[in-house]
Amino acid sequence: MLPRIVVMYMELGCFVCCLCGWILVCSTLPTEYWTFSEVGSVVMTTSNYYSNLWRDCISDTTGVSDCKDYPSMLALPVFLHGCRALAICSVITGFFGGVLTLIGMKCTKIGGSEIANARVTFSGGLTYLVSGFCGMITYSWWGNKVVREYLDPTFTAQKFEIGAGVFVGWGGSTLLMCGSAVLSFFAGREVLPSSSPKKHYRPHTYVTAKTRRTYMLPPTSSRVTLVPPLFYEGRRSRDPRVTPRSSRPNFSRDSFV
């Protein structure tokens, strides 16, 4: 087992790593450069198109930009709805993961025993891990769609490229997944062994053939064989030639005089 001070600093470093990743993921939601495209219509005029989960924007070289939200939520494709839901789940689970990790870390001294704090920290690490997976799925799904449309020769609409927001999201999701994995590993080492019940072993027993009594083996490593007694008091012989002691005549000294 690692010393407590080493585990404490390890948890603190993982928490900072996860917190930075969560901040990066949150910063990508208002960022408008998830996709971008440049179209040169005139020699001195270039139009830039860029969009994100919520709106489409256009700007030119004169500095004039205009953004427009998507007109109807129900008319959006399933792809956009899925990316929105996963991005919001990533932010929410990351928030609760930070709260659980703050409560259960050894340096905060909040909670009960060491096992209880380790369980809370383990739950926070798993919540951070879910947040990282949701974010990674969101940005990978978006990037895959952009690359597939760009490389498709039959796609006749305007083609876009991957913007800076997706790359920032990939970095934040990677920090979340790495930090939460290490945090869950160190917290799980304290939680999982204590949850398994201890087995109590009883020494082997045996029953003798004639007495039917149960004897326990001695605690030492040497085995002592116990056998039933060979003679019982009051046991009568089965040999008819042997006269019982009670039927024999009793002679005294006066009988021979």
Side-chain angles (χ1 to χ4, degrees):
M1 294 297 292
L2 294 176
R4 186 177 185 277
I5 188 68
V6 177
V7 178
M8 183 179 67
Y9 282 115
M10 187 66 66
E11 289 179 351
L12 186 60
C14 293
F15 172 72
V16 172
C17 180
C18 293
L19 183 62
C20 293
W22 180 71
I23 292 175
L24 289 177
V25 171
C26 292
S27 66
T28 59
L29 294 185
T31 303
E32 298 170 349
Y33 286 92
W34 281 49
T35 56
F36 74 95
S37 177
E38 295 183 358
V39 179
S41 56
V42 192
V43 178
M44 299 298 296
T45 305
T46 302
S47 300
N48 298 323
Y49 296 92
Y50 48 93
S51 61
N52 62 354
L53 294 172
W54 320 104
R55 63 184 65 183
D56 286 328
C57 300
I58 184 175
S59 63
D60 53 15
T61 54
T62 60
V64 178
S65 61
D66 184 22
C67 294
K68 181 181 180 181
D69 296 334
Y70 295 121
S72 176
M73 184 176 179
L74 298 178
L76 296 177
V78 179
F79 156 75
L80 201 55
H81 283 295
C83 289
R84 283 181 176 182
L86 288 173
I88 294 174
C89 288
S90 177
V91 174
I92 294 175
T93 52
F95 172 77
F96 285 106
V99 173
L100 292 174
T101 307
L102 275 176
I103 295 175
M105 281 196 308
K106 298 183 183 301
C107 60
T108 55
K109 297 181 180 180
I110 301 176
S113 61
E114 293 288 337
I115 299 299
N117 288 339
R119 290 174 180 173
V120 175
T121 306
F122 184 70
S123 302
L126 291 181
T127 310
Y128 264 140
L129 190 62
V130 172
S131 176
F133 271 114
C134 290
M136 185 63 69
I137 293 173
T138 302
Y139 303 113
S140 299
W141 194 3
W142 186 281
N144 180 47
K145 180 178 180 298
V146 173
V147 172
R148 188 176 65 250
E149 290 180 353
Y150 188 85
L151 299 179
D152 188 5
T154 60
F155 187 74
T156 58
Q158 185 176 355
K159 296 183 178 182
F160 292 88
E161 297 182 7
I162 300 176
V166 179
F167 292 102
V168 174
W170 273 331
S173 301
T174 303
L175 289 178
L176 278 172
M177 294 174 62
C178 294
S180 61
V182 177
L183 186 65
S184 301
F185 173 75
F186 282 99
R189 292 181 62 181
E190 300 181 17
V191 175
L192 298 181
S194 61
S195 61
S196 58
K198 296 182 180 179
K199 297 182 179 180
H200 300 278
Y201 295 95
R202 298 181 59 186
H204 298 282
T205 61
Y206 67 94
V207 181
T208 58
K210 294 185 178 181
T211 60
R212 299 297 179 182
R213 295 179 182 177
T214 303
Y215 294 91
M216 306 294 295
L217 289 180
T220 57
S221 59
S222 62
R223 293 178 176 269
V224 179
T225 305
L226 301 178
V227 296
L230 300 179
F231 176 78
Y232 293 96
E233 186 176 356
R235 181 180 178 183
R236 296 182 180 180
S237 177
R238 298 181 180 180
D239 193 353
R241 295 174 299 177
V242 180
T243 305
R245 182 178 298 179
S246 60
S247 62
R248 294 179 182 179
N250 295 328
F251 299 96
S252 62
R253 187 180 59 180
D254 297 336
S255 301
F256 297 94
V257 178

